[in-house]
Amino acid sequence: MRITIVGCGSIGSKLAKAADEMSEVKRIYLMDKRKEVAEGVAAGLNKAIVISSVEEELYHSDLVIEAASQEAAKEILPKVVARGVDIMIMSVGSLVDDDFRKMIFDKARVSEAKVYIPTGALCGVDGLQSASVDEIDEVELITMKGPKSLLGVEYMMSKGIDVEKITERTVIYSGYAREAVKLFPRNINVAATVSLMGIGFDKTKVVVVVDPEIKSNSHELKVRGRFGEMNCHTYNYPEPDNPRTSHLATLSAIAALKRIVRNEWFGI
């Protein structure tokens, strides 16, 4: 298998390293808007080369992994699925627009491209997906983060909120997933995943809490429906090189890649 990784930041670089150690992966194409970052990652691998655009080796790729941003995902998704190439999406918030999402999945069906979305930094989505086969009454996601993970977020600055001055547990957002994934594009992709696997962006409740005392980010998923009730609480340690990213999100992506390249589908 030959894979292309778009985005060589915290998750992308670790995915590349994991892929480099998989015997099933023969070639890794790396791309980043900062070419020197991609080159730095490639220098430590055996199978990787740097490319300038996703189309450059698209005919040779079996799988493209987007690990960059919502903006990058919106740009490359149509090109990849139109060619019939499988894609793994990390910036799931890019699918919040209904027309765009429909276009991507319609193109994928026609071209027979597969679209993979890892579970990310959240447990319980397997139960949510099963429950969604029948009627679900309510889905709520409560995300708790330390101040550092929300530094530089435009929404916070527009509200005049200095996260470094928050001294006690504070709710900074309460609403629905459609708005939440737009306001926190790099912080709450799990809300998009939950929405897609459950009752949609307009019915999935989202609460974002800042707590200066916590040592780890957490996600609490509450689901109530005909199946019964479910409450799953995940406490995540952040990646050392990126406090905005939970280590479990990286592990989820690597686990998904292993399943794809080995064609092993346990627990689907």
Side-chain angles (χ1 to χ4, degrees):
M1 176 176 280
R2 299 185 179 201
I3 67 172
T4 296
I5 299 176
V6 181
C8 296
S10 182
I11 292 180
S13 60
K14 293 177 178 66
L15 271 169
K17 184 177 185 299
D20 200 55
E21 297 171 356
M22 297 178 190
S23 60
E24 298 89 350
V25 176
K26 306 305 179 186
R27 172 64 74 187
I28 306 165
Y29 305 108
L30 298 177
M31 176 185 155
D32 195 284
K33 63 180 181 180
R34 302 159 298 171
K35 191 174 182 179
E36 67 276 9
V37 173
E39 290 172 339
V41 174
L45 305 177
N46 296 314
K47 304 173 186 176
I49 61 173
V50 176
I51 59 175
S52 299
S53 69
V54 72
E55 298 100 315
E56 191 172 319
E57 297 292 344
L58 197 52
Y59 280 116
H60 299 137
S61 286
D62 302 295
L63 172 71
V64 174
I65 302 174
E66 175 279 314
S69 65
Q70 289 188 22
E71 293 76 17
K74 289 174 184 175
E75 180 182 348
I76 69 170
L77 276 169
K79 300 173 183 177
V80 174
V81 296
R83 293 269 184 90
V85 178
D86 298 344
I87 187 162
M88 182 196 298
I89 307 169
M90 299 306 301
S91 303
V92 193
S94 61
L95 300 175
V96 67
D97 181 87
D98 296 334
D99 291 336
F100 178 77
R101 184 175 68 255
K102 183 178 183 303
M103 179 267 289
I104 293 300
F105 288 129
D106 284 348
K107 283 181 179 290
R109 276 191 288 271
V110 171
S111 67
E112 298 185 347
K114 298 181 182 68
V115 178
Y116 300 105
I117 298 176
T119 54
L122 179 67
C123 296
V125 288
D126 53 345
L128 171 62
Q129 188 172 35
S130 297
S132 68
V133 175
D134 204 337
E135 184 177 332
I136 293 180
D137 301 312
E138 185 177 21
V139 177
E140 183 178 23
L141 176 67
I142 303 170
T143 293
M144 193 171 299
K145 292 179 173 288
K148 286 185 178 180
S149 66
L150 291 168
L151 284 172
V153 174
E154 187 176 337
Y155 169 76
M156 308 292 286
M157 294 186 289
S158 69
K159 294 289 185 181
I161 301 172
D162 186 344
V163 290
E164 294 186 293
K165 292 183 178 179
I166 294 177
T167 58
E168 60 185 13
R169 185 175 293 183
T170 304
V171 174
I172 59 168
Y173 177 82
S174 180
Y176 289 90
R178 188 176 298 279
E179 182 182 44
V181 297
K182 293 177 181 177
L183 295 177
F184 303 93
R186 293 182 178 273
N187 306 88
I188 196 163
N189 272 297
V190 289
T193 304
V194 167
S195 299
L196 290 169
M197 299 179 81
I199 56 177
F201 288 93
D202 296 316
K203 295 181 180 179
T204 301
K205 298 176 182 177
V206 175
V207 178
V208 182
V209 182
V210 173
D211 188 343
E213 299 298 324
I214 61 173
K215 297 289 191 290
S216 62
N217 297 330
S218 75
H219 300 294
E220 184 177 6
L221 177 62
K222 298 180 178 181
V223 184
R224 183 171 56 83
R226 187 165 302 199
F227 75 98
E229 295 186 16
M230 179 177 73
N231 192 324
C232 296
H233 209 145
T234 311
Y235 297 90
N236 292 294
Y237 291 128
E239 289 286 12
D241 58 346
N242 185 0
R244 291 186 177 89
T245 299
S246 296
H247 185 48
L248 186 60
T250 302
L251 298 179
S252 169
I254 294 172
L257 178 59
K258 285 182 177 180
R259 295 170 76 190
I260 293 167
V261 301
R262 296 172 183 172
N263 201 26
E264 295 174 347
W265 304 101
F266 303 110
I268 61 170

